[in-house]
Amino acid sequence: MTRKNWVKDDTGFIELSTGLEMPFHTQEGFYTPNEQFFVLSAGEVPQVSTDTWRLGVDGDGIEHPLALSYEDLCGMDQVSVPVALECAGNHRKLFEDVMNEPLNRRPYMTEVRWGLGGVGCAEWAGVQLRSVLERAGIRSDAYHVTPVGLDKGYEDEDGIRAPVTMGKAMDPDTLIALKMNGEPLPPDHGFPARLIVPGWVGTHSIKWLDRIEVTTTHQWMPRNTEFYVLMGDAWPADDYGPANGAPISEQPIRSSLALPWPATLPAGEQTLRGYARSCEANITSVDWSDDGGASWHPARLVGPSHRHAWRSFEIDWRALPGDHTIMTRASDEKDRVQPMEIPFNNGGYLFNMVHPHPIKVT
């Protein structure tokens, strides 16, 4: 039997090598239900008891090392933030399907071939990371905050980790999350506590927290030198040493239709749904085209708007029999616009170009 890196019922998911993809067309409303939320894990889900679990906070960047119990964290001031969490490799398969660029250019890796559903939006609740760091006596010369998980991967035998800059760690919306959509974190999503780093690629939101190491020096590790870096002709490795390319942190602006790929629809008037998101910025508009970009029309923005969440949009489209493609293009309050072209990178990360969604109308 193949080992699975999840414990939830995987009925209805798209099963990938180390994760579960939510079929994106099943997303409805603002929040993704916990049972539908995508999963990506480096190894088996750790079994944790809150009776014995402690969150350590240590390193040369703090004055007072801590060992916080679950009850300690629950007793601190709690805040909640709506955040769209997205894998850096979401849309990876579109490099092949749209750009005709073959993947598998890293022979030591098995690429997780995400379609559109390596993303979900939840209300995360817990303790501000900065509150814990201040309790530990964060030093003024602290540089990196590195969360370490209880899960093990072949690149980190002592626990999965990914560093966060001090500025992002002290952001009031960066959380040590204890709840997801009003419930204690499910096992697949980091119980009893995980980090949530809004706007950054999902690898920084370490699950099953074991400790947080604060250092006064820059930390280099597999997840910012080898795995979550942009490698290829556009990113000469000599410019980024000791990393093999440009380390990834912020998510780019994206939009996608909540339709199967490819989609089949009946002829007639259709209302198509989709979701747009950007890093730390509200989506201000989404435009769409069904003629290859010769003309663009405004979509209708619906539902809540939050700088860390996604924004739902709707398109009224008259579907005529035949083969069609529809493209969507998002803009945000920081004047960022979804690009028409992007360079390929060897890891297949951050695919966010305006792309044609194939639709067959019967």
Side-chain angles (χ1 to χ4, degrees):
M1 180 181 293
T2 302
R3 187 190 74 184
K4 294 183 176 181
N5 293 0
W6 55 86
V7 299
K8 68 167 60 178
D9 181 357
D10 55 18
T11 303
F13 283 94
I14 301 167
E15 187 171 335
L16 303 174
S17 55
T18 56
L20 295 173
E21 177 176 347
M22 174 187 67
F24 198 56
H25 62 276
T26 64
Q27 172 68 40
E28 295 182 356
F30 186 64
Y31 290 123
T32 307
N34 293 356
E35 61 272 15
Q36 288 182 235
F37 213 94
F38 81 98
V39 176
L40 182 65
S41 303
E44 295 182 356
V45 176
Q47 302 299 309
V48 185
S49 169
T50 55
D51 293 336
T52 57
W53 175 83
R54 296 294 183 271
L55 174 62
V57 185
D58 55 29
D60 68 354
I62 61 168
E63 301 289 352
H64 315 294
L66 302 175
L68 299 172
S69 68
Y70 189 72
E71 290 74 18
D72 290 335
L73 291 172
C74 290
M76 297 178 68
D77 290 341
Q78 305 289 302
V79 298
S80 63
V81 183
V83 176
L85 193 63
E86 186 160 10
C87 182
N90 195 32
H91 296 190
R92 178 179 279 130
K93 193 170 178 290
L94 300 193
F95 276 110
E96 290 188 331
D97 293 347
V98 174
M99 293 177 60
N100 297 314
E101 290 282 0
L103 298 171
N104 294 326
R105 301 193 189 186
R106 301 185 295 179
Y108 50 88
M109 290 286 292
T110 299
E111 305 293 4
V112 181
R113 291 175 172 266
W114 296 109
L116 304 179
V119 60
C121 186
E123 181 183 45
W124 306 92
V127 179
Q128 292 175 327
L129 175 59
R130 72 176 185 182
S131 296
V132 170
L133 296 178
E134 288 169 351
R135 178 179 289 195
I138 186 81
R139 287 176 43 166
S140 60
D141 60 345
Y143 187 91
H144 259 163
V145 175
T146 302
V148 183
L150 287 165
D151 54 331
K152 308 294 190 290
Y154 60 86
E155 83 274 20
D156 278 311
E157 295 182 357
D158 191 34
I160 297 299
R161 66 195 65 203
V164 178
T165 60
M166 276 303 304
K168 191 62 175 175
M170 299 301 284
D171 187 300
D173 290 336
T174 299
L175 300 183
I176 297 173
L178 307 175
K179 290 187 176 182
M180 178 181 183
N181 289 329
E183 301 176 0
L185 290 173
D188 287 308
H189 299 289
F191 180 84
R194 70 172 299 168
L195 205 65
I196 291 294
V197 186
W200 282 30
V201 296
T203 192
H204 293 280
S205 293
I206 295 293
K207 297 188 281 188
W208 310 295
L209 280 176
D210 179 43
R211 66 186 189 278
I212 297 172
E213 183 180 8
V214 184
T215 59
T216 57
T217 56
H218 194 296
Q219 297 298 292
W220 294 106
M221 54 199 63
R223 293 201 171 202
N224 66 355
T225 60
E226 184 176 359
F227 297 117
Y228 288 87
V229 298
L230 299 176
M231 295 184 291
D233 294 341
W235 302 274
D238 290 345
D239 293 348
Y240 298 99
N244 294 333
I248 297 169
S249 57
E250 293 186 355
Q251 287 281 9
I253 186 170
R254 309 190 202 209
S255 65
S256 43
L257 289 170
L259 288 173
W261 185 291
T264 300
L265 297 174
E269 300 297 328
Q270 297 283 348
T271 298
L272 310 182
R273 298 180 299 106
Y275 293 85
R277 55 271 188 202
S278 192
C279 177
E280 299 184 339
N282 289 284
I283 295 295
T284 54
S285 66
V286 177
D287 297 313
W288 64 276
S289 173
D290 63 356
D291 58 8
S295 61
W296 292 89
H297 317 282
R300 183 170 56 254
L301 299 180
V302 297
S305 178
H306 192 283
R307 70 189 187 104
H308 296 315
W310 55 23
R311 189 73 191 272
S312 180
F313 62 88
E314 294 179 346
I315 295 169
D316 294 326
W317 183 54
R318 186 183 181 192
L320 301 177
D323 293 324
H324 304 268
T325 60
I326 291 184
M327 300 190 298
T328 62
R329 183 179 62 191
S331 302
D332 70 16
E333 62 186 353
K334 294 185 178 180
D335 296 324
R336 293 176 292 205
V337 180
Q338 195 174 349
M340 296 299 293
E341 296 180 350
I342 58 172
F344 178 80
N345 68 87
N346 292 350
Y349 296 118
L350 304 185
F351 184 99
N352 74 316
M353 66 179 278
V354 173
H355 54 272
H357 197 118
I359 302 173
K360 183 179 185 64
V361 178
T362 59

